[in-house]
Amino acid sequence: MATDALARTRARLDAYFGVSSHGSTMRREVMAGMVTFLAMSYVLAVNPSVLGDQGDLGDKGIPMQAVFTATAVAAIFGTLVMGLWARYPIALAPGMGLNAFFAFTVVKQMGIPWQTALSGTLLSGIIFLVLAVTRIRERILNAIPLQMKLAVGAGIGIFVAFLGLKNAGIIVASKDTFVTHGDFTKGATLLALFGLLVTVVFLVRGWHGAVLYGVVLTAVVGMVFGLVELPEGVFAMPHGLDQTFGQAVINLPHAFTGQMFVVVLTMLFVDFFDASGTLIGVANQAGLLAKDGTLPRASKALAADSIGTMAGAVIGTSTTTAYVESTAGVSAGGRTGLTAVATAWWFAVAMFCFPLFSVIAGAKSVTAPALIVVGVLMARALGEIDWGKLEYSVPAFITVVVTPLTFSIAYGLAMGMVFYPVVMVARGRFREVHPTMWILMVVFLGYFFFLAE
């Protein structure tokens, strides 16, 4: 009887997810889910190090334990929605880049409390959901030129890498030259350089869990040499959400200000195009795109991403989005939402390992290499920009350079959006500038002159 019940369950799962029809097997889907988890699980250490109160933000940050638990729960919830509803082999978690924007631009630079920043994240998710279920999404996608989408992604990548280099002590402040190289005789800096080296080697070798393996090996070496604290244990019951859960809703009225308008717009813009690009890229690798190049169930997939953002904000973390590391699971054979469900299961297991991840999250020299490598991967978009045409290269270059040099994704995005229509007009191509771009130009000019501090 038990065998028959198991067979019926397997048949139902197969029919619902379309495992056999996609040329896959149950075992392959489950294994692919584990590969995806290994490729992206570094977020459990890096996100708390960026947003937590034991990092650069200090007492302005979110309590470390709460960020860890929120990161895991947001990944579980968002990935399950994507797997069970949209039925794609794509996992979600708090996104790199947007967590840095949340921490260093919104909280640290603008002085906005993390509770209000969570409200902005929630609001961006709500707007994203509305756009995802209406035809407005397509109009906006068509309005923003590809070159600017690529530039924003690349600029965020360089910003994240710059942050990693700073945390590693490889780049330090200088009164004479603004920035300079750090002291390479310091143990923490040497440990970060070691971590960067081994992570890059793992990555070049094509290991799916390259970033995670690099983080773990660096942490172990750091413990051996007394540079990283030993964990007090391995397992612990998840807790801490009582400090963050619902803060986004409670503080939602504070999100309706001129300053927060630009914050929400930036979060929305970056997540919108990052999610779209990731979904299309992963689906293309998995052979799931339609013959005309469109993404089946696109509205559900984008809605799942926005629901993940909303849930993550309510729980207590920055924007939750589709992870490009899902390609690791796809390369291992994952083709259906069952892969995502398996990934969510592993995040549920990892949620009980805070003592282990907290030690890693609290050591900048351990997480810095991960940030640098993630930045490298994001900056690959530079190669797709048409540098031969000044009307593209000028606004793209300004976006890419201003983002890290001002330590602000919002500033970089705004500068690029202001310059793009101007250079297009100067080039005699004003008819190609979508009306939406002129609206964005006016919005960001207002930001520079009236809202930016």
Side-chain angles (χ1 to χ4, degrees):
M1 294 294 291
T3 304
D4 291 340
L6 181 60
R8 286 195 297 271
T9 301
R10 289 174 64 91
R12 287 170 184 163
L13 288 173
D14 192 323
Y16 181 77
F17 289 107
V19 176
S20 296
S21 62
H22 283 92
S24 186
T25 65
M26 303 284 283
R27 175 183 171 79
R28 191 182 302 162
E29 294 291 308
V30 172
M31 290 301 296
M34 183 178 69
V35 171
T36 297
F37 170 76
L38 289 174
M40 63 182 289
S41 57
Y42 65 87
V43 68
L44 291 171
V46 177
N47 200 49
S49 75
V50 174
L51 301 179
D53 57 3
Q54 295 179 30
D56 285 335
L57 292 183
D59 57 6
K60 292 183 179 180
I62 307 173
M64 177 76 80
Q65 168 74 67
V67 181
F68 172 81
T69 306
T71 300
V73 174
I76 294 166
F77 182 83
T79 303
L80 283 176
V81 172
M82 181 66 76
L84 294 173
W85 186 44
R87 287 178 282 180
Y88 275 108
I90 297 173
L92 281 70
M96 296 295 106
L98 277 171
N99 60 354
F101 171 71
F102 183 106
F104 296 98
T105 299
V106 181
V107 176
K108 193 169 187 177
Q109 193 177 72
M110 294 182 173
I112 296 172
W114 61 262
Q115 295 90 339
T116 305
L118 286 177
S119 298
T121 304
L122 174 60
L123 192 56
S124 72
I126 294 171
I127 298 171
F128 190 179
L129 180 61
V130 173
L131 296 177
V133 297
T134 63
R135 298 202 57 169
I136 299 174
R137 173 184 62 87
E138 286 134 16
R139 293 173 185 170
I140 296 177
L141 279 172
N142 294 331
I144 309 297
L146 174 62
Q147 303 297 316
M148 292 308 300
K149 298 173 191 173
L150 296 171
V152 170
I156 293 173
I158 295 175
F159 174 70
V160 170
F162 183 68
L163 175 61
L165 291 167
K166 171 182 171 292
N167 288 349
I170 297 173
I171 292 177
V172 297
S174 169
K175 292 182 179 179
D176 299 321
T177 59
F178 292 105
V179 292
T180 186
H181 61 81
D183 184 356
F184 286 13
T185 64
K186 287 186 176 180
T189 303
L190 288 173
L191 179 63
L193 285 170
F194 167 79
L196 179 60
L197 179 64
V198 296
T199 303
V200 168
V201 170
F202 294 158
L203 198 66
V204 171
R205 294 291 298 173
W207 294 11
H208 294 311
V211 178
L212 173 65
Y213 301 149
V215 166
V216 171
L217 182 57
T218 306
V220 171
V221 171
M223 291 175 192
V224 171
F225 286 94
L227 298 170
V228 177
E229 294 181 7
L230 291 172
E232 297 179 357
V234 177
F235 301 105
M237 288 299 294
H239 66 278
L241 290 188
D242 58 305
Q243 298 172 287
T244 58
F245 187 84
Q247 289 296 322
V249 178
I250 295 171
N251 290 275
L252 196 57
H254 300 299
F256 294 94
T257 65
Q259 192 178 40
M260 282 301 297
F261 175 77
V262 176
V263 170
V264 172
L265 186 63
T266 303
M267 289 178 173
L268 177 64
F269 182 92
V270 175
D271 186 30
F272 191 78
F273 293 109
D274 183 55
S276 300
T278 299
L279 289 170
I280 292 171
V282 176
N284 182 51
Q285 182 174 336
L288 300 175
L289 293 181
K291 292 181 179 180
D292 61 357
T294 59
L295 180 69
R297 307 185 305 282
S299 293
K300 281 189 176 182
L302 287 168
D305 191 279
S306 60
I307 291 171
T309 291
M310 293 161 58
V314 172
I315 294 166
T317 185
S318 55
T319 304
T320 301
T321 188
Y323 257 59
V324 73
E325 283 83 355
S326 300
T327 54
V330 168
S331 66
R335 294 294 181 272
T336 74
L338 188 57
T339 292
V341 173
T343 303
W345 186 86
W346 281 107
F347 269 108
V349 173
M351 185 168 59
F352 292 86
C353 301
F354 174 71
L356 213 55
F357 281 100
S358 65
V359 169
I360 297 174
K364 291 183 182 180
S365 54
V366 175
T367 56
L371 289 172
I372 296 169
V373 170
V374 169
V376 171
L377 297 176
M378 294 180 70
R380 288 186 295 186
L382 286 170
E384 300 177 50
I385 296 173
D386 189 351
W387 295 104
K389 296 180 179 178
L390 287 174
E391 61 268 37
Y392 295 148
S393 62
V394 169
F397 179 79
I398 288 173
T399 299
V400 170
V401 172
V402 170
T403 296
L405 293 186
T406 60
F407 224 64
S408 171
I409 295 171
Y411 273 48
L413 172 63
M415 287 287 284
M417 290 300 178
V418 168
F419 268 82
Y420 178 78
V422 174
V423 295
M424 287 293 283
V425 169
R427 194 68 167 179
R429 300 177 61 180
F430 61 91
R431 290 187 180 87
E432 298 177 37
V433 180
H434 196 280
T436 302
M437 292 301 295
W438 291 109
I439 296 173
L440 289 175
M441 177 184 176
V442 172
V443 168
F444 285 122
L445 279 173
Y447 170 61
F448 282 127
F449 289 109
F450 301 109
L451 301 176
E453 296 181 356

